[in-house]
Amino acid sequence: CWGASSCSVRNSSRRYARANYCTPLHTPSTRRAASSRRCAKASTARCMRLLSVIARTMAATQWHPAGIRPQRTALESLKARKDAFLGDAAGPLACWTCCLGSSAGDLDSLASALAAAHACNGTAVARFRREDLALRKDCELALGEKGAAALLYEDEITADVAKKREPKTTLVLVDHNRFDAQSLQLGDRIICVMDHHRDEGQHKDAIDREIDETCGSCSSLLAERMAAYMEPDLA
């Protein structure tokens, strides 16, 4: 029947995603052992695959005054939301979700911020200046021109932007679980936490809170979430 077929597709999608993006989920000991064997090169490759998935996911549509509905990739949609956040296009009553990576600004953090922003229709925030991306060669290579343009950088959030957006902004924390971005002046309304580091016991009232210390990377957690609703070939 259709239901059985749909269930089979979803299950195969999850199995494929776990095999290719995520730490094995059989037992906690298996996950810890697998995580300890991963090296930096494997982690970088996983993050790059996740970025590739984001770039190839379903195209978004946009209303146009002339009646044209142009197709956009996920990274192009993220860039459009970033531009709207910094500008006035969305109006003063718009609500925003900013997905904050960790202050380290490594590839796992940036890939997770982009994935979370894509999943929740938000904006991905990099916790460093735009010019500092050149110091992170692995990130620059993995992101490419479109990925780099889709990120909202710390120095782009001016005092005027923060004052305008703070009252209607909620935050998603990825790759860390204690809020430490007060300098952005975007408030502290945490609605989601996704991380793989030691649980510091903060933000217990978040709507969605998943902290798995046995997982090799935060991007693995995001990839598993995305695999639950993506098309099987993309997953």
Side-chain angles (χ1 to χ4, degrees), residues 100-224:
L100 309 181
S102 67
S103 57
D106 57 12
L107 184 53
D108 184 30
S109 177
L110 298 183
S112 298
L114 286 169
H118 172 60
C120 70
N121 211 31
T123 304
V125 179
R127 303 272 301 282
F128 52 84
R129 300 175 61 85
R130 176 66 178 86
E131 61 187 22
D132 291 340
L133 180 62
L135 303 177
R136 297 165 166 83
K137 294 300 183 182
D138 58 335
C139 299
E140 193 173 40
L141 176 63
L143 290 170
E145 184 179 345
K146 287 188 176 182
L151 287 168
L152 176 62
Y153 297 90
E154 196 172 58
D155 56 315
E156 294 177 323
I157 306 176
T158 64
D160 289 341
V161 170
K163 181 179 179 181
K164 178 171 56 178
R165 298 306 185 198
E166 187 275 334
K168 294 288 185 177
T169 297
T170 54
L171 304 175
V172 173
L173 306 186
V174 295
D175 205 30
H176 64 301
N177 59 80
R178 177 191 286 271
F179 178 66
D180 59 355
Q182 289 84 354
S183 61
L184 296 179
Q185 301 180 27
L186 292 176
D188 57 356
R189 290 175 288 278
I190 313 297
I191 61 171
C192 177
V193 179
M194 296 283 289
D195 191 24
H196 68 118
H197 296 101
R198 181 178 62 85
D199 190 350
E200 299 189 40
Q202 302 294 310
H203 317 301
K204 293 290 184 68
D205 57 344
I207 297 173
D208 188 357
R209 188 176 188 274
E210 182 176 358
I211 300 175
D212 188 348
E213 298 178 45
T214 67
C215 195
S217 68
C218 186
S219 56
S220 293
L221 296 176
L222 268 297
E224 186 178 35

